[in-house]
């Protein structure tokens, strides 16, 4: 009898050890499978992050048909400079003292002025005078460069108008870019006598210089601060809305519950019990009490 009990105990211990070893093996296999799955996911993510060549894409689409801008005569580079000038004036012209409805030309007027057509040439010259005057004032000329006109007057003391704008422009460009073909040409030819591409590049250069002026930088910083304040106010309002929704949900008793279907196909919710369910439960409890009695 004792021998039988010992054999049964030994069998139970062996079965227990076998089950333990099987669990260990299964746990190790699960761990290896998870590691393999993780490696595959990382590899897939790495492959997805790799840039694909356009010719290797499967969803090729035909390029849309582009139509030229009606009435455009300027070359592409000159037109790009014109777009930049107009965009800059619309964004920062007000802080530079420009009247956006009068002093900012349209693209059509800008093109006609660069081509020396009609009265638009005078408007472009007025725009050049105002841009150059603002650039001379701020950011100004680099220190250590020639800042005097042919008559010996300092650039800041000379009134910039249609008669002096070419000479002041030549001094300003030479101070920033050194001797170039354009600066040498401005010694003998006025601004209006140059090609439309050269004139557009001059306007674009002045706009880039004015982008570093104090008033424009202050305006950009002010707008950035304003956007930061708006984002902060948005976060505060969203936080208040979340709190109000939580309070409303608590008062109305609407909570996110997990639904389960019973044998009759009716959904039962595992959240807060309804009053009807409470009454049924109470009735059931009373019946049980009567049975006990």
């Amino acid at each position: 009898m004792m021998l039988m009990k010992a054999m049964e105990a030994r069998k139970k211990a062996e079965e227990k050890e076998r089950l333990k070893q099987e669990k260990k093996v299964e746990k190790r296999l699960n761990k290896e499978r998870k590691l393999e799955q993780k490696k595959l996911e990382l590899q897939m993510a790495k492959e997805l992050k790799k840039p694909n060549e356009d010719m290797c894409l499967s969803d090729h689409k035909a390029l849309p048909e582009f139509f030229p801008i009606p009435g455009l005569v300027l070359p592409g580079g000159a037109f790009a400079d014109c777009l930049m000038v107009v965009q800059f004036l619309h964004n920062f012209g007000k802080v530079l003292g420009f009247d956006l409805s009068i002093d900012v030309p349209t693209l059509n007027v800008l093109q006609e002025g660069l081509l020396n057509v009609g009265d638009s040439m005078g408007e472009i010259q007025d725009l050049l005078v105002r841009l150059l005057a603002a650039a001379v004032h701020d950011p100004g000329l680099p220190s250590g460069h020639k800042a005097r006109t042919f008559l010996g007057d300092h650039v800041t003391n000379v009134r910039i108008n249609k008669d002096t704008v070419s000479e002041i422009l030549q001094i300003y460009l030479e101070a920033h870019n050194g001797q170039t073909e354009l600066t040498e040409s401005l010694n003998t030819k006025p601004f209006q006598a140059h090609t439309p591409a050269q004139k557009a590049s001059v306007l674009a250069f002045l706009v880039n210089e004015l982008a570093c002026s104090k008033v424009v930088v202050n305006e950009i910083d002010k707008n950035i601060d304003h956007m930061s304040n708006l984002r902060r106010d948005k976060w505060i309002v969203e936080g208040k809305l979340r709190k109000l929704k939580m309070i409303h949900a608590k008062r109305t008793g609407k909570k996110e519950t997990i639904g389960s279907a019973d044998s009759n196909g009716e959904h039962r919710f595992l959240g807060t019990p309804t009053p009807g369910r409470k009454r049924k439960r109470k009735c059931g409890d009373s019946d049980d009490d009567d049975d006990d009695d």
Side-chain angles (χ1 to χ4, degrees):
M1 191 68 182
M2 295 292 292
L3 183 61
M4 294 291 292
K5 287 183 179 181
M7 289 179 66
E8 287 179 1
R10 184 178 178 183
K11 285 182 180 180
K12 287 181 180 180
E14 289 177 353
E15 185 68 18
K16 189 175 181 180
E17 185 68 22
R18 186 179 62 80
L19 291 175
K20 189 176 180 181
Q21 292 295 331
E22 286 180 356
K23 285 182 180 180
K24 282 184 179 181
V25 172
E26 187 177 357
K27 190 175 181 181
R28 181 172 55 80
L29 291 175
N30 287 333
K31 191 174 181 181
E32 290 177 357
R33 277 196 292 268
K34 286 181 180 179
L35 287 174
E36 289 292 331
Q37 184 69 20
K38 194 171 183 180
K39 286 180 181 179
L40 286 174
E41 290 176 358
L42 290 173
Q43 190 174 359
M44 288 176 63
K46 192 181 292 184
E47 290 293 331
L48 289 174
K49 287 180 180 179
K50 285 183 180 179
N52 293 326
E53 294 292 336
D54 294 339
M55 299 302 294
C56 297
L57 297 176
S58 58
D59 53 344
H60 288 290
K61 294 181 181 179
L63 291 175
E65 188 177 357
F66 295 102
F67 299 98
I69 299 175
L72 180 62
V73 182
L74 295 173
F79 184 68
D81 291 336
C82 293
L83 283 175
M84 183 175 66
V85 170
V86 173
Q87 185 70 19
F88 177 83
L89 292 175
H90 277 291
N91 288 332
F92 304 107
K94 194 172 181 180
V95 297
L96 293 172
F98 285 82
D99 189 347
L100 300 183
S101 60
I102 300 173
D103 299 330
V104 179
T106 61
L107 284 173
N108 189 27
V109 172
L110 199 57
Q111 176 178 254
E112 291 179 354
L114 294 176
L115 295 172
N116 297 335
V117 177
D119 297 333
S120 301
M121 182 175 60
E123 295 186 27
I124 298 304
Q125 206 164 4
D126 293 337
L127 176 64
L128 174 67
V129 168
R130 298 200 62 174
L131 289 175
L132 183 60
V136 169
H137 179 263
D138 184 21
L141 293 169
S143 59
H145 288 78
K146 174 191 172 185
R148 295 188 178 276
T149 63
F150 184 74
L151 298 176
D153 297 324
H154 198 274
V155 170
T156 55
N157 297 330
V158 178
R159 182 180 178 183
I160 302 175
N161 51 34
K162 294 181 180 180
D163 298 326
T164 60
V165 66
S166 296
E167 184 179 3
I168 304 298
L169 179 62
Q170 187 268 336
I171 295 172
Y172 191 84
L173 291 176
E174 187 176 351
H176 283 84
N177 299 328
Q179 284 288 339
T180 61
E181 183 181 352
L182 182 59
T183 56
E184 292 177 1
S185 178
L186 283 169
N187 283 325
T188 56
K189 291 191 295 185
F191 175 76
Q192 300 88 346
H194 291 79
T195 62
Q198 288 176 325
K199 290 187 280 189
S201 65
V202 168
L203 295 176
F205 173 76
L206 293 176
V207 161
N208 285 326
E209 288 295 316
L210 287 172
C212 302
S213 62
K214 294 179 181 178
V215 288
V216 174
V217 172
N218 290 336
E219 181 69 13
I220 294 173
D221 292 339
K222 186 170 68 175
N223 289 334
I224 292 174
D225 293 339
H226 181 62
M227 291 298 296
S228 301
N229 293 333
L230 289 178
R231 289 194 190 96
R232 185 189 60 204
D233 295 341
K234 179 186 174 184
W235 294 334
I236 293 172
V237 171
E238 287 178 351
K240 290 181 179 179
L241 283 174
R242 282 194 294 270
K243 289 181 181 178
L244 290 174
K245 286 180 181 178
M246 292 172 64
I247 294 170
H248 178 71
K250 287 180 181 179
R251 288 181 179 177
T252 56
K254 294 179 180 179
K255 294 184 178 180
E256 294 182 3
T257 55
I258 303 172
S260 62
D262 56 8
S263 60
N264 296 326
E266 297 179 355
H267 287 277
R268 294 186 301 172
F269 297 96
L270 306 179
T272 306
T274 59
R277 289 179 62 199
K278 288 182 178 179
R279 284 197 296 271
K280 288 180 181 178
R281 192 179 298 169
K282 287 181 180 179
C283 293
D285 294 341
S286 63
D287 294 340
D288 294 339
D289 294 339
D290 293 339
D291 294 339
D292 294 338
D293 293 339

